[in-house]
Amino acid sequence: MEDPRDALDDSYEQQVKLLHEVRGAVAEVATAKKRIELQGEEMGARHRRLGEQATEAMAQGREDLARAALQRRASLEGQVAKLQEQHASLQAQTSQLQERERRLAEQIAAFRVEKETLKATYSASEAQVRANESVAGIGANMNDVGAGLDRARDRVTQMQARAQATGDLLASGALQDLTAAPDADIERQLSELASRADIERQLNALKAEGGEGGRGSGMTVHSPDGWLSIGQAPPTP
């Protein structure tokens, strides 16, 4: 999608360029008017000199010279009139161009404020879109993570159940332990029988101890190294 900020900047630059052109035109017209003013000042100075010459010629009795000076001054007045018309026209053009320059400058200033506001709004909206998209992406990733955790939990539960089941099968003898030594099942059963027989022996010893008036059965060891005899068969009387 086209970025409107670029279009706004281009429009602003074009308006600024137009304003520079108008200001250049104002400067050119002002320069032309200045030249006419200088020329008019020269003609005004000559007009005064011709009048003074006519007065001086009459004072000296030279009516012919006075007439010639007055004729030249009359001709000069026609030129000055045309120059005044040009000056008035340039003055009007200068006023119009200055008014256009002022209005254009105000329009450009207002456009600049609007441009910057729109650009800021667009940038903020763009940032919000990126943030929303990032949040949406994070949400999707979290959903994937959650699904992965659920699958992992299911696998762990299944593996625990399988381990328990295989353990039970090994214990019951339904499943053969290929890593066990040969005849290990017979050794295991004999060990269980010996353990039960030892428990029965200890129970009988406790019963006999009670019948003999609380005489010690030798089950409690008080010597410092008595722990070495824990689990060992009692000495034969």
Side-chain angles (χ1 to χ4, degrees):
M1 184 173 58
E2 180 183 359
D3 193 335
R5 292 171 294 189
D6 295 336
L8 290 171
D9 288 336
D10 291 340
S11 298
Y12 178 74
E13 290 177 359
Q14 292 177 1
Q15 294 183 32
V16 171
K17 182 179 179 180
L18 179 60
L19 179 60
H20 290 164
E21 292 177 354
V22 172
R23 288 175 175 173
V26 171
E28 291 178 359
V29 173
T31 301
K33 188 180 71 170
K34 186 62 177 179
R35 287 198 298 265
I36 290 177
E37 290 175 351
L38 293 175
Q39 188 176 359
E41 291 176 359
E42 293 178 357
M43 289 183 175
R46 184 185 176 191
H47 186 272
R48 288 192 300 273
R49 287 198 304 271
L50 289 172
E52 293 172 354
Q53 289 175 355
T55 302
E56 185 178 356
M58 287 298 296
Q60 295 180 5
R62 294 293 304 272
E63 183 178 346
D64 55 336
L65 292 177
R67 184 179 291 108
L70 293 175
Q71 289 175 349
R72 291 179 183 179
R73 192 175 68 169
S75 176
L76 185 62
E77 289 175 355
Q79 297 176 8
V80 171
K82 293 180 180 180
L83 200 63
Q84 291 172 347
E85 293 177 0
Q86 294 179 3
H87 183 270
S89 176
L90 290 176
Q91 180 63 38
Q93 292 180 19
T94 300
S95 300
Q96 292 176 358
L97 288 174
Q98 288 176 343
E99 179 64 18
R100 291 176 183 176
E101 177 189 3
R102 183 186 64 80
R103 292 182 180 180
L104 183 58
E106 292 177 354
Q107 293 175 0
I108 292 176
F111 179 80
R112 181 178 180 278
V113 173
E114 182 70 14
K115 173 180 73 73
E116 295 300 327
T117 301
L118 291 174
K119 287 176 62 178
T121 303
Y122 184 87
S123 298
S125 300
E126 185 180 39
Q128 184 177 2
V129 168
R130 288 197 300 267
N132 292 340
E133 291 176 349
S134 299
V135 171
I138 292 173
N141 292 335
M142 293 304 294
N143 291 334
D144 295 339
V145 171
L149 287 175
D150 291 339
R151 290 193 297 270
R153 293 190 186 102
D154 292 339
R155 293 294 298 275
V156 170
T157 302
Q158 292 174 5
M159 189 58 65
Q160 288 177 339
R162 184 175 178 182
Q164 182 65 35
T166 54
D168 294 342
L169 289 174
L170 284 173
S172 65
L175 185 63
Q176 183 179 3
D177 185 2
L178 298 179
T179 63
D183 304 326
D185 56 338
I186 296 176
E187 294 293 339
R188 177 178 53 79
Q189 295 181 30
L190 290 175
S191 177
E192 291 178 356
L193 290 174
S195 177
R196 286 197 294 269
D198 184 63
I199 291 174
E200 292 297 328
R201 181 186 59 77
Q202 294 181 30
L203 286 175
N204 291 330
L206 290 174
K207 291 177 182 180
E209 180 181 329
E212 294 177 0
R215 186 178 59 185
S217 62
M219 296 184 63
T220 303
V221 180
H222 297 285
S223 61
D225 55 350
W227 63 272
L228 295 174
S229 63
I230 294 177
Q232 304 296 324
T236 304

